[in-house]
Amino acid sequence: ESGGELGSDSFTMVVAACSDALWSLGSLFAPANSQTGAVAAVSADIQQVTVAEPGGSGATRHSAATQGCLCPLTVIYENKQARLYWQGSLVTQDGSTPPYTVWLPKLIGGTGSGGFAGRVAEVLFYNRALGDYDRQQVETYLQDRYGCLISSSSSSEESSSEVSSEESSSEESDSSESSQSSKSSKSSKSSHQSQGSKESASSKSSEAPQLVIITETQAEQPPNKERKTIGVGEKVNLSLANLGAYTGGYSWSLTPSSTGGQLAASGSDPQKKIYLAPAAPTTATIKVTLDDGRSAQVILNVIAPSGLKFLTEGRESGDIYQHKEIGMVLNPAFYLLPDTVNFENLRTYEGAATAVKTGYFLTSGNYPNHEANGPHAMVKYDNQYGNRGNGHATNDFDMFQASTNLPPFSDGKIEWTCDWKYEVFRDGQIVGSPQPLDTITMKLEIIVGSDTVEATISKGDAEYEKTFDKADLQ
């Protein structure tokens, strides 16, 4: 088994802990011996936190300065894209998606002397990526329960415990393997019940509630509407939580202001906005500030389509031959990748291409160049292709037809390689300028045997093939 049953690619790790090591990173979360895939591993000391993926790239993916206790530390993976929060603030994020599955770790601590040196009050694992509201609820719970913890500088008289290979537990998932630490991290909980911690928690609870920006994508699919990675052209509803009895003004801002998209009004309610993603990829930071001094921000990672996926299910492809020629028809639909976001507000264009010929096609007949065509609109379909493309595919199904000339036949191939572009078409208007999308090759190939001619027509990863009897082509 690769990584076990705790969760993969989308998950959350939250911990309230305090390191006693000044310049020596210790393993806080680590892979178990049975975990053979890439595992999210977290190491920390009192100065910094790192996140790596042993079994994957092996390199450090995140490194952030965290001067003091992890009160708390939150690591969120959402479709392999990672974010790290310290004391409720985003300190680093990585919008890349590695080509391997990333698993939740199954161990708290490390092996031998490489384990985390310090005190761990509580660990919470979730097998999903928490949205901002849920994350801040969990972080507030830990801060209220443990205060800011006791820093290592004020606890020199206490004996530090090194956490080594204690099995991690989850509120939503259970693990089946671990080696028990000789010094349990749970024994450190009593050290957090000092008067200083109680005063810190009491003081925090008397403050105004922490403001939160709630995000909700307007597209029906994917079902995770709290996701922070969205497609170009998407719409996201923004609202505020934990306002309390506030009745003052609201100041919204978007960074970058020129290329980050748009913030539109949501009716007449100043507490709400609609984020309109731009036509090109960006990282958008949306911030709101209240008259009472409170503020909140959210970061949205806007990504472009990475390619086309062609579909032939339910589409009629076939062969025709008359006057001794071979004719082939391919009739696929296609949707846009990746399907972790929504591209319903996009339409695509296929560029022109020169015919490239080999063998039979060099000397037989006049084969035209391919003309540009489009736009291809992305429209909703009724379960014909399951939920691929988040329920959206082309409506004109991009038919491709090619044929040979007359016998005698010999091996040969004719192909056209076309550059594709996309544009955002939202609410009846073009947004921005066309952007590069993909390069797709179409081809007709024949292979001649003693009694047969094998013909294949293809476009991208969709193809149709047929074996003809030579006798039928004489």
Side-chain angles (χ1 to χ4, degrees), residues 215-227 229-237 274-277 339-346 380 387 389-392 426:
T215 64
E216 181 184 27
T217 53
Q218 290 191 8
E220 293 182 13
Q221 299 291 339
N224 177 17
K225 291 181 172 293
E226 293 185 345
R227 55 191 165 86
T229 299
I230 62 175
V232 290
E234 275 206 72
K235 295 182 178 181
V236 182
N237 294 329
I274 300 174
Y275 174 66
L276 306 176
D339 58 5
T340 54
V341 298
N342 193 288
F343 294 117
E344 64 185 4
N345 292 322
L346 269 59
K380 191 172 182 179
N387 195 40
N390 296 307
H392 289 78
R426 184 174 56 211

Side-chain angles (χ1 to χ4, degrees), residues 308-312 317 329-334 348-351 370-374 376 394 396-401 414-420 438-445 456-464:
L308 303 172
K309 176 66 176 179
F310 287 87
L311 301 165
T312 56
S317 298
V329 178
L330 188 66
N331 195 19
F334 64 81
T348 60
Y349 294 84
E350 185 178 28
H370 179 75
E371 296 182 356
N373 65 82
H376 304 275
T394 48
D396 48 9
F397 299 109
D398 200 44
M399 181 180 290
F400 168 46
Q401 181 172 337
I414 180 171
E415 62 183 13
W416 302 262
T417 299
C418 304
D419 290 328
W420 285 66
D438 204 350
T439 299
I440 301 296
T441 297
M442 304 177 292
K443 68 180 178 181
L444 173 64
E445 183 174 12
T456 302
I457 189 172
S458 63
K459 185 165 189 171
D461 52 3
E463 70 175 27
Y464 172 76

